[in-house]
Amino acid sequence: RVTIGVHADFLFLLLLFLFPITVVAQSLLIYEDSVNRFEIGVPNTWRYGVPKDKSTSFRAVRRATDSTDVVREQFTVNVLYDKPADLETSYKEFMGYISKAPGFRILEQGEKEIHGRKYKWLVETHKYNPGNEDVINYVYFANSGKSLLILTMVTSMQALPKYRELYDKIASTIKY
């Protein structure tokens, strides 16, 4: 019995060194928006706030690690008050709008309850200009009956496996 346990432990450690998995683990700070009535976790090393032009309700952007690092990882929260239909109707309208993006494809989608509120979510890709580059949007969508909340987390196709766990962690903190 002891021999099997030692071999299993050795095999596990060997596999970790042969096939390393890179993920991003960060502590999250809780950002609270009392005007739009939501809170969300933000990685403690990211820049965040409300853009001066108020184009979104909130934006967080990963900081570059050095001068060669091209930052694509960011997320926005938009709270919209002009279309407070029920979740199904507003989500269908939202999908009609975003599906017009060049190269739009849904990779995954589903529903999830977070802190007592039902969310629809999807992972989609489309072409982004400039550069005609494929980008990934990981989107959570909810409706309070008075407003819509859209959380959009962005990365590149190549970086999604690295940031997926962090993005799931961010989404799990949202209160709306």
Side-chain angles (χ1 to χ4, degrees), residues 88-102:
E88 296 300 325
T89 303
S90 53
Y91 185 73
K92 185 177 178 181
E93 187 177 311
F94 169 73
M95 290 300 293
Y97 173 76
I98 67 168
S99 64
K100 294 175 184 171

Side-chain angles (χ1 to χ4, degrees), residues 3-15:
T3 306
I4 293 171
V6 171
H7 289 299
D9 289 344
F10 176 75
L11 180 61
F12 177 72
L13 290 173
L14 181 63
L15 287 173

Side-chain angles (χ1 to χ4, degrees), residues 41-105:
V42 181
N44 63 350
T45 59
W46 289 26
R47 294 176 318 173
Y48 62 93
V50 177
K52 288 181 183 177
D53 66 0
K54 299 196 188 236
S55 55
T56 65
S57 303
F58 178 79
R59 182 174 183 216
V61 180
R62 181 179 67 80
R63 294 180 192 266
T65 54
D66 59 41
S67 61
T68 62
D69 184 11
V70 178
V71 175
R72 290 179 180 83
E73 292 69 40
Q74 63 176 301
F75 70 88
T76 60
V77 176
N78 287 295
V79 178
L80 308 172
Y81 294 93
D82 59 343
K83 305 214 182 247
D86 64 85
L87 180 61
E88 296 300 325
T89 303
S90 53
Y91 185 73
K92 185 177 178 181
E93 187 177 311
F94 169 73
M95 290 300 293
Y97 173 76
I98 67 168
S99 64
K100 294 175 184 171
F104 176 83
R105 274 185 311 129

Side-chain angles (χ1 to χ4, degrees), residues 74-169:
Q74 63 176 301
F75 70 88
T76 60
V77 176
N78 287 295
V79 178
L80 308 172
Y81 294 93
D82 59 343
K83 305 214 182 247
D86 64 85
L87 180 61
E88 296 300 325
T89 303
S90 53
Y91 185 73
K92 185 177 178 181
E93 187 177 311
F94 169 73
M95 290 300 293
Y97 173 76
I98 67 168
S99 64
K100 294 175 184 171
F104 176 83
R105 274 185 311 129
I106 295 175
L107 304 176
E108 300 174 53
Q109 62 183 327
E111 294 183 0
K112 187 174 189 177
E113 187 171 307
I114 304 171
H115 299 288
R117 181 166 312 277
K118 182 178 170 184
Y119 287 81
K120 290 191 171 279
W121 65 268
L122 72 132
V123 178
E124 61 93 355
T125 184
H126 65 272
K127 297 286 184 193
Y128 175 75
N129 285 323
N132 207 27
E133 175 183 16
D134 285 331
V135 296
I136 295 287
N137 282 344
Y138 189 5
V139 181
Y140 276 78
F141 187 92
N143 185 316
S144 73
K146 296 179 182 176
S147 61
L148 306 175
L149 180 136
I150 305 168
L151 165 63
T152 305
M153 300 172 282
V154 181
T155 191
S156 67
M157 184 72 85
Q158 298 79 14
L160 181 61
K162 182 177 179 181
Y163 287 95
R164 178 70 181 255
E165 185 177 324
L166 176 62
Y167 283 178
D168 286 338
K169 186 176 178 183

